[in-house]
């Protein structure tokens, strides 16, 4: 690996995180020309193009390798600076980019991170749990809550627990579309709610029931709280985390569409193996909160 210096790595990180050379210049308190010079010097040293000059800016395959290196090296540098009484980085606090699935973000993750917010700046990336490991691979984040049990190269993995989802529906929708219960014919025609086009939970339930997931009409509601509200308001049925499902039952606004059936999603915490104080503290907080919330 070619010799590089910290300013070059910091410029690479800023261009990707800010999405442009202009944004990186503002974040680093440099001119845009100075940022460009550092990136060109890094690419010359490596002998490959690292940054895609797009909007937003991204990295090439080789750039992803150096992006991961930048996060690791700069994290360690911040730790060393803090250990000798210096300020950990330009902002005074380390910045930790973490990928979190929406249901975890909307329930137990933020309370886990809140006590650390005075010492660490969090850059949270909302991503489906089945795809969040991709953000680790390309260097976008240093840790992720994911369904991937096999560690991404250069990462460690820890099992967090199981988040159970149940098929819930408003009583009026059940009466209108599923009067005889979740028969294959009724499920093929009843409207459903999905989070986004990466959301496979409803499809997994339908396949388990022998129904082609392409048949039912569907609403897309890409926010956890709004998703649960959409199911409560009767847009269609949907797979809700057990705590949301239980709350709807207590309130009398939801019923279990198919008692006894559920979809269990096992979640894991993956983080870069190069340890920093901020990353270790965050991982410990996430694991402790998951132990109290997940199955």
């Amino acid at each position: 690996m070619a010799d590089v210096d910290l300013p070059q790595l910091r410029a690479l990180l800023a261009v990707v995180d800010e999405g442009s050379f202009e944004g990186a210049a503002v974040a680093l308190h440099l001119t845009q020309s100075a940022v460009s010079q550092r990136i060109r010097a890094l690419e010359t040293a490596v002998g490959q193009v690292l940054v895609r000059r797009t909007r937003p800016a991204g990295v090439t395959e080789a750039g992803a390798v150096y992006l991961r290196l930048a996060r690791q090296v700069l994290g360690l540098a911040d730790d060393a600076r803090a250990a000798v009484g210096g300020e950990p980085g330009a902002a005074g606090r380390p910045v930790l980019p973490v990928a979190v699935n929406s249901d975890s973000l909307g329930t137990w993750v933020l309370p886990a991170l809140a006590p650390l917010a005075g010492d660490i700046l969090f850059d949270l990336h909302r991503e489906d749990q089945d795809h969040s490991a991709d953000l680790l691979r390309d260097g976008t984040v240093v840790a992720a809550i994911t369904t991937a049990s096999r560690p991404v190269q250069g990462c460690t993995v820890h099992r967090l627990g199981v988040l159970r989802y149940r098929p819930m529906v408003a009583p009026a929708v059940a009466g209108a579309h599923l009067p005889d219960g979740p028969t294959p014919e009724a499920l093929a025609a009843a409207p459903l709610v999905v989070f986004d086009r990466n959301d496979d939970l409803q499809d997994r339930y339908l396949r388990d029931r022998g129904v082609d997931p392409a048949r039912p009409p569907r609403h897309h509601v890409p926010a956890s709280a709004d998703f649960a509200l959409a199911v409560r308001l009767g847009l269609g049925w949907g797979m809700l985390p057990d705590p949301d499902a239980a709350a709807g039952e207590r309130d009398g606004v939801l019923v279990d569409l198919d008692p006894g059936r559920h979809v269990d999603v096992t979640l894991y915490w993956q983080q870069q193996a190069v340890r920093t104080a901020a990353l270790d503290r965050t991982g410990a907080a996430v694991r402790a909160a998951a132990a109290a919330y997940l199955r």
Side-chain angles (χ1 to χ4, degrees):
M1 187 167 282
D3 290 337
V4 297
D5 60 31
L6 292 184
Q8 292 171 356
L9 292 177
R10 203 173 292 280
L12 175 64
L13 198 62
V15 167
V16 173
D17 286 351
E18 301 300 326
S20 68
F21 283 75
E22 299 93 328
V26 172
L28 295 175
H29 306 290
L30 297 171
T31 65
Q32 185 177 334
S33 175
V35 172
S36 296
Q37 289 173 10
R38 291 182 182 184
I39 296 298
R40 283 197 300 270
L42 178 59
E43 291 177 328
T44 298
V46 174
Q48 296 189 55
V49 175
L50 303 180
V51 176
R52 290 186 285 105
R53 272 69 170 178
T54 55
R55 286 193 176 274
V59 289
T60 63
E61 185 175 347
V65 175
Y66 278 85
L67 184 62
R68 290 195 297 270
L69 174 68
R71 296 201 188 279
Q72 293 168 354
V73 170
L74 293 172
L76 291 172
D78 283 347
D79 269 7
R81 190 178 293 109
V84 296
E87 287 288 318
R93 286 179 283 176
V95 178
L96 215 61
V98 179
V100 185
N101 62 304
S102 184
D103 286 331
S104 295
L105 184 61
T107 50
W108 60 275
V109 168
L110 287 180
L113 300 182
L116 306 179
D119 302 318
I120 302 168
L121 297 175
F122 293 104
D123 180 9
L124 300 179
H125 296 247
R126 182 181 60 78
E127 182 58 80
D128 183 86
Q129 62 267 11
D130 293 333
H131 300 273
S132 54
D134 294 338
L135 300 184
L136 275 171
R137 293 187 184 94
D138 66 18
T140 300
V141 301
V142 297
I145 294 175
T146 175
T147 55
S149 60
R150 186 174 182 177
V152 172
Q153 184 177 7
C155 294
T156 61
V157 62
H158 180 96
R159 185 181 184 276
L160 294 176
V162 172
L163 188 56
R164 174 162 292 179
Y165 291 82
R166 290 195 280 145
M168 305 301 293
V169 65
V173 175
H177 296 279
L178 302 144
D180 299 318
T183 64
E185 295 77 13
L187 287 172
L192 59 89
V193 183
V194 297
F195 186 82
D196 59 21
R197 286 162 180 80
N198 289 328
D199 179 10
D200 190 48
L201 289 172
Q202 286 71 214
D203 292 353
R204 287 168 61 180
Y205 168 78
L206 289 170
R207 286 192 290 267
D208 187 52
R209 271 299 195 175
V211 178
D212 180 358
R215 294 185 64 187
R218 58 184 61 203
H219 302 280
H220 293 88
V221 183
S224 286
D226 295 334
F227 179 93
L229 179 60
V231 175
R232 283 175 170 245
L233 292 175
L235 271 71
W237 67 270
M239 304 297 292
L240 293 182
D242 200 32
D244 288 343
E249 288 174 318
R250 288 194 302 269
D251 295 342
V253 296
L254 292 176
V255 295
D256 195 322
L257 172 64
D258 198 351
R261 286 195 183 247
H262 52 262
V263 173
D264 283 346
V265 176
T266 304
L267 298 176
Y268 299 85
W269 172 257
Q270 292 211 32
Q271 69 177 60
Q272 288 182 346
V274 176
R275 299 174 59 182
T276 66
L279 190 53
D280 282 353
R281 290 180 64 194
T282 300
V286 167
R287 293 192 296 271
Y293 187 86
L294 303 179
R295 289 174 175 267

